[in-house]
Amino acid sequence: MVAFCAQLGEKPFRATQLFRWVHQRGVRDFDRMSDLAKAFREKLKDCAYVVAPPVAREHVSRDGTVKWLFDVGRNNAIETVYIPEDDRGTLCISSQAGCAVGCRFCSTGHQGFSRHLTSGEIVGQLWWAEHALRQRLGTQERVITNVVFMGMGEPLHNYPALVPALRTMLDDHAYGLSRRRVTVSTSGVVPMIDRLAHDCPVALAVSLHAPTDALRDTLVPLNRKYPLAELLAACRRYLDHAPRDFITFEYCMLDGVNDQPEHARQLIELVSHASTGLACKFNLIPFNPFPQSGLRRSPNARIAAFAGMLSDAGIVTTVRKTRGDDIDAACGQLAGEVQDRTRVTERMAKLRHAAPRATA
Ligand code: SAH
Ligand code: SF4
């Protein structure tokens, strides 16, 4: 923004003012940016605009979860989900249209890779959601307190766009989110975990899903490139820089595949072992089924037993609540909407110009 303002012959503090108008206050109309000189506002109107990708669809769930489907062009759509809870508001955002990793249990993975999102498209999801929600709730207070990169895409495959987006989320002149409350979730792109540790260490979640290489190879194909020992070593290195003193392991519970007592024992061994062990918490995710996967969700009793074994071994373990089931906003459900491209395209035309109005 400083460089952009310099091109227009403006001083760096103008960049800060502009940043605050756009991100803190959600204002897109330059004429409303009252502390900017008129001449500067005119220059901005000639060469810039403030816009998020158009919303193609919006769903509000009975439990308050809101899902937006954004049109990112060429028949690609990405999804963003807001999950309200008593003590926080979490936004789950996407980093790519589609995903190249191709995990067996993930409908985005089945869809394949379309393209990387730009930093603007990543941050634009937060910009839109924060200001649309403030307007809806009639508040000037912050609504979104946490961001998780658990929507579509592998964020560490889109590293050049990810880091500026993260920095904007953390910036006090923008969203001012704490590093502990922004979580990058990855299937395990080892070299990029190391880079993130140095460039922008936020909370890290790693999608583990299996205790052995033999099983993980079949679920998360990236494991063949970065096997478990390397992945866990990278997690350990990350902890030296991380804002939290543990890594979160996500583990999708798949009936008869990775949910047996034997798997729990192997996991305990893996994370407590002298060479691979590390400080971690487990988040067990009940699988959200979709037809092409050929997989089933583990029964609740088995998930509870699995969680019990990990907890008894001293590992903090939570089972993720499923939210927004009635609007297909649960994890891994995102691509279903995207594949239904006709409906998306029809709605896009109508909603192309929809954007949160300035509230300042
Ligand atoms: N690519 C990143 C982040 C996006 S996926 C990653 O894999 O971590 C976010 C989380 O949703 C991952 O833990 C992923 O394993 C999980 N997930 C994907 N499909 C799912 C499904 N059908 N049911 C439950 N969880 C799923
Ligand atoms: Fe990609 Fe994550 Fe889905 Fe795997 S689980 S295909 S890495 S989005």
Side-chain angles (χ1 to χ4, degrees):
M1 193 68 95
V2 170
F4 170 71
C5 287
Q7 279 171 20
L8 299 178
E10 298 287 340
K11 298 224 164 61
F13 80 93
R14 294 288 180 209
T16 306
Q17 286 178 312
L18 199 49
F19 216 55
R20 292 169 72 110
W21 276 112
V22 172
H23 292 292
Q24 279 188 344
R25 305 178 81 170
V27 173
R28 50 193 300 222
D29 177 354
F30 296 118
D31 280 331
R32 299 183 66 131
M33 302 183 181
S34 49
D35 58 358
L36 301 185
K38 183 139 197 311
F40 181 32
R41 299 203 305 250
E42 292 305 319
K43 277 191 262 182
L44 285 170
K45 282 200 280 192
D46 280 346
C47 69
Y49 54 92
V50 183
V51 70
V55 173
R57 308 187 76 185
E58 180 190 274
H59 295 279
V60 182
S61 163
R62 280 188 293 277
D63 65 12
T65 303
V66 185
K67 180 181 77 168
W68 293 275
L69 191 68
F70 291 99
D71 163 24
V72 292
R74 300 194 174 196
N75 270 355
N76 288 313
I78 55 148
E79 206 161 278
T80 308
V81 184
Y82 168 68
I83 306 146
E85 287 173 282
D86 292 342
D87 58 342
R88 71 183 81 176
T90 303
L91 194 70
C92 176
I93 65 176
S94 298
S95 55
Q96 300 178 312
C99 182
V101 178
C103 301
R104 228 173 98 198
F105 51 83
C106 174
S107 55
T108 305
H110 279 247
Q111 184 202 345
F113 175 69
S114 294
R115 72 166 173 87
H116 295 301
L117 299 186
T118 64
S119 298
E121 287 168 330
I122 296 173
V123 142
Q125 297 168 66
L126 175 58
W127 177 78
W128 171 274
E130 175 67 38
H131 298 293
L133 289 166
R134 276 190 208 176
Q135 203 171 37
R136 190 164 307 172
L137 301 171
T139 178
Q140 298 289 330
E141 302 289 310
R142 178 193 289 184
V143 178
I144 293 159
T145 58
N146 296 56
V147 171
V148 296
F149 281 77
M150 295 182 187
M152 296 176 89
E154 169 47 58
L156 295 186
H157 273 167
N158 189 11
Y159 195 78
L162 173 71
V163 171
L166 288 176
R167 289 188 176 139
T168 304
M169 293 174 185
L170 302 178
D171 195 314
D172 282 338
H173 296 297
Y175 302 92
L177 294 174
S178 101
R179 290 180 189 280
R180 302 159 61 88
R181 288 171 172 269
V182 177
T183 302
V184 167
S185 173
T186 180
S187 56
V189 191
V190 164
M192 294 301 157
I193 293 176
D194 286 322
R195 283 187 62 184
L196 190 68
H198 290 95
D199 293 339
C200 194
V202 292
L204 187 69
V206 171
S207 295
L208 204 59
H209 308 311
T212 61
D213 283 321
L215 181 56
R216 196 165 188 268
D217 280 352
T218 70
L219 296 174
V220 184
L222 195 67
N223 194 68
R224 295 188 205 120
K225 198 164 176 189
Y226 305 114
L228 281 172
E230 282 182 37
L231 177 56
L232 295 192
C235 291
R236 212 169 326 104
R237 291 192 295 274
Y238 195 85
L239 279 176
D240 292 338
H241 306 264
R244 291 179 180 271
D245 53 8
F246 60 89
I247 301 286
T248 302
F249 285 130
E250 293 160 275
Y251 196 96
C252 182
M253 298 297 291
L254 302 163
D255 185 18
V257 175
N258 64 355
D259 63 349
Q260 302 298 306
E262 178 63 11
H263 297 121
R265 279 192 287 275
Q266 288 169 332
L267 272 184
I268 294 163
E269 164 72 12
L270 185 71
V271 299
S272 350
H273 192 274
S275 60
T276 50
L278 83 165
C280 62
K281 291 187 180 177
F282 268 82
N283 191 1
L284 306 181
I285 315 174
F287 171 59
N288 287 302
F290 59 101
Q292 308 90 309
S293 72
L295 297 162
R296 290 179 312 269
R297 179 186 292 188
S298 307
N300 288 345
R302 204 173 309 142
I303 298 178
F306 200 91
M309 286 182 72
L310 297 181
S311 300
D312 288 348
I315 302 167
V316 175
T317 305
T318 49
V319 178
R320 186 175 298 170
K321 278 185 287 178
T322 46
R323 296 286 304 257
D325 275 355
D326 56 319
I327 57 166
D328 281 353
C331 323
Q333 300 283 305
L334 310 185
E337 287 286 335
V338 178
Q339 279 157 357
D340 190 353
R341 288 183 168 151
T342 345
R343 271 192 298 166
V344 173
T345 316
E346 275 166 16
R347 300 266 308 184
M348 260 159 25
K350 288 182 206 149
L351 292 163
R352 189 166 284 276
H353 300 292
R357 260 189 286 282
T359 53

